[in-house]
Amino acid sequence: MRQILFAGVIGLFLTLVGTPLLIKFLARKGYGQFIRDDGPREHHSKRGTPTMGGIAFILATLIAYFLTKIITGTETTLSGLLVLFLMAGMGLVGFLDDYIKIVKQRSLGLRAKAKMAGQLIVGIGFAVLALNWPDSRNQTPASTKLSFVTDFGWSIGPVLFVVWALFMILAMSNGVNLTDGLDGLATGASVMVFGAYTFIGVWQYQESCANAVTLTNPQACFEVRDPLDLAVVASALMGACFGFLWWNTSPAKIFMGDTGSLALGGALAGLAICSRTELLIALLGGLFVLITMSVVIQVGSFKMTGKRVFKMAPLQHHFELKGWSEVLVVVRFWIIQGMCVIVGLGLFYAGWAAKK
């Protein structure tokens, strides 16, 4: 369990100390945020704030994970490495998008097809690798069965699994990206979900089917390949995001950009897939789902009726235009996210207890 503590503390320390150095570097290069003219007026003052801050917590997470392995003398696992690969790969796509926005001084970076191609390459690579290299118990990092608290139902096969994994990766990445519209909102919400996955990984490790002979009730065990290492990755992400929040909260000194939002979304999807909690992530990350649905509803309503349901989408901007201050929106949305995590963890525990 020392791994989890070391990973979280190292990730926290690195972003607390490293982010201001990144801020100075980005400011010196003139890599500032481009603000859309059709957004809330209050956001225009944020123009020029350094962006691509996701670099800070991506690097911090990677360093925290591998440094923890060196300090504790433990080995890396395929599950942990795959989640890190997905995070870094999606972050690279986001970085290219951010970089083009800054250089071209426009709100759109990579062309839609190029951005989608990058996400598909990373996502397919993750999904294919996750179904290979079984361990001594013939467990691969991912399963072709759908899962909520554990796997259920029939196998959907490798092809449909890749499609399903891509849907999850794209949905979570875009969900975090849409949520990243106010100072600290997406970062704080992500900290809570990564905290939940740290708990889930520890619980799955303690109740792993690999330890079935020592469990009081082997029927209630979890068939997850590397649960403890997934908890280490989640802890590193939680610590890194928590440290980054110090500089990203209102008034933000730096934005995560697509570099950060796509990376966080990829990490969340990777943790859900490898921990066999694919459908549970919709509740644990309830705020991301809620904000994504507000955009779907807004676009769908306007196309079908010509009318808008919200003053502006995503949802956080609707409440800004209703007169809520930015900080008020962020805190109340954090509370909503906190309740989603509590309910999600409650269902996770109830699902395990029901099998006893």
Side-chain angles (χ1 to χ4, degrees):
M1 299 298 176
R2 290 186 308 151
Q3 297 182 66
I4 297 172
L5 178 61
F6 280 135
V9 171
I10 294 171
L12 172 65
F13 174 78
L14 288 176
T15 47
L16 276 176
V17 175
T19 303
L21 300 178
L22 179 62
I23 292 172
K24 291 180 181 179
F25 172 79
L26 295 173
R28 188 165 60 249
K29 291 289 186 178
Y31 292 168
Q33 178 71 30
F34 184 90
I35 303 297
R36 291 168 51 188
D37 293 330
D38 58 347
R41 293 180 181 177
E42 293 78 6
H43 290 202
H44 293 174
S45 61
K46 301 180 181 183
R47 189 185 302 270
T49 301
T51 187
M52 296 193 293
I55 295 172
F57 55 74
I58 291 173
L59 291 178
T61 300
L62 293 172
I63 294 171
Y65 176 80
F66 289 109
L67 191 55
T68 293
K69 294 300 177 180
I70 295 172
I71 294 173
T72 59
T74 53
E75 296 182 354
T76 60
T77 68
L78 182 57
S79 298
L81 292 175
L82 280 175
V83 174
L84 293 175
F85 161 75
L86 184 57
M87 174 196 71
M90 295 297 287
L92 177 59
V93 175
F95 172 80
L96 294 174
D97 190 43
D98 285 334
Y99 187 76
I100 292 173
K101 289 178 186 177
I102 293 168
V103 172
K104 300 293 185 181
Q105 282 295 296
R106 65 188 191 192
S107 59
L108 296 176
L110 281 173
R111 296 187 182 278
K113 290 183 178 179
K115 189 174 183 179
M116 179 61 70
Q119 291 176 306
L120 288 177
I121 291 171
V122 175
I124 292 173
F126 166 83
V128 171
L129 292 172
L131 291 179
N132 287 281
W133 289 287
D135 62 7
S136 58
R137 299 179 56 249
N138 203 36
Q139 289 288 319
T140 54
S143 169
T144 55
K145 292 183 178 180
L146 297 178
S147 60
F148 182 61
V149 173
T150 57
D151 289 344
F152 67 86
W154 300 97
S155 170
I156 60 176
V159 175
L160 285 180
F161 167 78
V162 171
V163 175
W164 169 240
L166 283 174
F167 170 77
M168 287 189 60
I169 293 167
L170 294 176
M172 289 309 303
S173 296
N174 289 319
V176 178
N177 185 254
L178 291 170
T179 304
D180 182 36
L182 301 182
D183 294 354
L185 179 58
T187 309
S190 297
V191 168
M192 298 181 205
V193 187
F194 290 130
Y197 270 109
T198 302
F199 172 83
I200 287 172
V202 171
W203 192 270
Q204 289 178 333
Y205 173 72
Q206 293 175 338
E207 302 294 331
S208 172
C209 293
N211 306 321
V213 293
T214 62
L215 299 178
T216 56
N217 183 9
Q219 300 297 323
C221 66
F222 292 98
E223 284 286 6
V224 178
R225 172 164 167 167
D226 306 301
L228 183 59
D229 209 39
L230 292 175
V232 173
V233 172
S235 179
L237 279 160
M238 177 179 64
C241 287
F242 203 27
F244 181 75
L245 184 60
W246 180 275
W247 305 102
N248 182 234
T249 194
S250 182
K253 298 294 187 294
I254 189 171
F255 300 136
M256 70 169 69
D258 282 11
T259 305
S261 60
L262 295 188
L264 292 182
L268 289 171
L271 287 169
I273 292 169
C274 291
S275 66
R276 315 290 172 85
T277 55
E278 295 163 359
L279 297 179
L280 186 63
I281 187 62
L283 185 53
L284 290 174
L287 181 64
F288 304 128
V289 175
L290 177 65
I291 288 176
T292 301
M293 290 306 300
S294 72
V295 175
V296 173
I297 292 171
Q298 184 85 325
V299 172
S301 175
F302 187 76
K303 285 187 175 181
M304 289 188 293
T305 67
K307 297 181 180 180
R308 293 180 172 86
V309 176
F310 307 105
K311 290 180 178 292
M312 187 177 181
L315 188 61
Q316 61 268 33
H317 299 319
H318 166 79
F319 288 103
E320 276 194 291
L321 294 179
K322 284 180 68 68
W324 292 18
S325 68
E326 180 174 3
V327 173
L328 180 62
V329 175
V330 170
V331 172
R332 286 182 173 173
F333 275 39
W334 279 350
I335 293 172
I336 293 172
Q337 177 56 49
M339 291 189 291
C340 289
V341 166
I342 291 171
V343 174
L345 287 177
L347 287 176
F348 174 79
Y349 179 80
W352 170 80
K355 296 169 63 176
K356 294 187 69 177

